[in-house]
């Protein structure tokens, strides 16, 4: 590899492989990043044109959000990946890992007038009042749009990008992926409930808040991600290359 960060590269590659396995990817679009500098300005990012199912640790490119010269080089990343992740890492140093995809159910929710995650089951309660929602989509994530998006996340780990998709941000790849997995599952449950045409049975604010707090204490993200990597170690070990 051209530099160190072997653990970081391996973890991020595993996230790409599992996103593809779970059908959260979209052609060769969408992008994941992981900060490797203290201020978050330097981060690993997937190269343009690679399918998530084929990305290996050594394929990830190291970029600097303060150095736009990368966009004029042969290994330049996708323009929207550079713009969105560059702005987010630069303006949200606490967001070490950022995963952005257009999965089916989260994207459907992002297209509704009411984009809120309703507390109708234990999983949806995990995200009760903990999702930053963008209602002002104004085009692909370039320039001013990318900068605008970077101001919406706040202290939340999930941003539902209106008429666009979803983004999760956390201190580790494991936590960001765990949030992505459960958020898409929650969206699937909510959209499925809407499709019945029946009234939703939402729990009270008190119960939803209590359950959300319990989720914060019950953090199994490392165990979840370690289990996923063990599967890859047996079936797609080349992700570490």
């Amino acid at each position: 590899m051209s530099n160190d960060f072997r653990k970081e590269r391996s973890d991020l590659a595993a996230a790409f492989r599992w996103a593809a396995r779970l059908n959260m990817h979209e052609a060769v679009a969408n992008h994941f990043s992981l900060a490797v500098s203290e201020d978050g300005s330097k981060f690993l990012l997937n190269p343009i044109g690679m399918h998530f199912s084929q990305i290996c640790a050594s394929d990830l490119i190291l970029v600097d959000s303060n150095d736009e010269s990368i966009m004029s080089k042969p290994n330049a990343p996708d323009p929207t990946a550079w713009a969105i992740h560059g702005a987010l890492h630069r303006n949200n140093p606490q967001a070490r890992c950022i995963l952005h995809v257009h999965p089916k159910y989260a994207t459907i929710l992002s297209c509704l007038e009411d984009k809120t995650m309703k507390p109708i089951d234990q999983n949806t309660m995990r995200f009760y009042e903990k999702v930053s929602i963008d209602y002002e989509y104004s085009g692909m994530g370039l320039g001013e749009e990318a900068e605008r998006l970077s101001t919406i996340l706040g202290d939340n780990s999930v941003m539902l990008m209106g008429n666009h998709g979803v983004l999760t941000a956390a201190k580790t790849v494991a936590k960001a992926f765990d949030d992505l997995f459960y958020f898409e599952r929650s969206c699937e449950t909510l959209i499925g409930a809407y499709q019945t045409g029946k009234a939703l049975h939402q729990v009270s604010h008190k119960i939803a808040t209590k359950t959300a707090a319990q989720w914060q204490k019950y953090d199994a993200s490392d165990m979840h991600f370690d289990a996923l990597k063990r599967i890859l170690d047996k079936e797609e070990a080349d992700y570490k290359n």
Side-chain angles (χ1 to χ4, degrees):
M1 297 182 188
S2 59
N3 51 68
D4 204 355
F5 312 121
R6 291 180 179 273
K7 172 68 164 57
E8 292 86 349
R9 287 175 173 275
S10 179
D11 280 355
L12 197 57
F16 281 113
R17 295 295 184 96
W18 268 102
R21 283 184 170 216
L22 295 173
N23 198 30
M24 291 187 184
H25 61 305
E26 187 164 85
V28 293
N30 296 170
H31 13 87
F32 293 176
S33 63
L34 178 62
V36 293
S37 64
E38 186 174 346
D39 64 357
S41 63
K42 293 182 177 61
F43 56 93
L44 298 170
L45 183 68
N46 49 309
I48 192 170
M50 283 200 73
H51 196 274
F52 276 21
S53 67
Q54 297 182 319
I55 291 178
C56 297
S58 60
D59 293 319
L60 301 172
I61 56 178
L62 180 64
V63 298
D64 186 333
S65 63
N66 297 309
D67 182 6
E68 294 188 19
S69 67
I70 184 67
M71 296 308 295
S72 61
K73 296 178 180 178
N75 64 334
D78 180 274
T80 59
W82 161 255
I84 293 175
H85 290 254
L88 278 159
H89 281 297
R90 187 170 59 249
N91 297 326
N92 301 273
Q94 83 285 359
R96 305 297 292 175
C97 179
I98 297 172
L99 310 180
H100 168 53
V101 282
H102 304 160
K104 180 178 179 178
Y105 294 100
T107 304
I108 290 173
L109 183 60
S110 81
C111 298
L112 301 182
E113 186 67 28
D114 182 356
K115 308 178 194 301
T116 56
M117 180 61 73
K118 308 297 185 184
I120 61 172
D121 83 324
Q122 187 166 280
N123 284 349
T124 56
M125 288 179 233
R126 170 174 173 154
F127 302 101
Y128 184 67
E129 296 187 336
K130 295 185 179 300
V131 179
S132 299
I133 303 176
D134 173 32
Y135 291 94
E136 305 297 330
Y137 176 82
S138 61
M140 288 191 172
L142 300 166
E144 293 182 1
E145 176 72 353
E147 290 296 328
R148 185 186 67 78
L149 286 171
S150 74
T151 67
I152 296 171
L153 181 63
D155 294 327
N156 290 324
S157 61
V158 178
M159 178 164 66
L160 189 63
M161 304 162 75
N163 308 98
H164 187 163
V166 67
L167 176 153
T168 60
K171 292 183 178 180
T172 66
V173 177
K175 186 65 170 68
F177 193 85
D178 196 59
D179 282 338
L180 180 61
F181 175 86
Y182 276 100
F183 189 73
E184 176 65 0
R185 288 290 292 268
S186 297
C187 289
E188 182 176 6
T189 298
L190 181 60
I191 298 304
Y194 279 142
Q195 288 176 327
T196 68
K198 305 293 186 180
L200 300 182
H201 182 197
Q202 301 183 53
V203 303
S204 67
H205 170 74
K206 179 180 179 180
I207 295 301
T209 302
K210 172 187 175 181
T211 307
Q214 290 173 326
W215 268 108
Q216 295 301 307
K217 294 179 180 179
Y218 179 77
D219 181 4
S221 58
D222 286 336
M223 289 188 291
H224 179 198
F225 202 61
D226 285 345
L228 296 180
K229 287 189 291 184
R230 285 195 296 271
I231 295 172
L232 289 179
D233 288 343
K234 291 183 177 180
E235 300 177 357
E236 297 182 54
D238 65 314
Y239 81 95
K240 291 181 175 180
N241 294 346

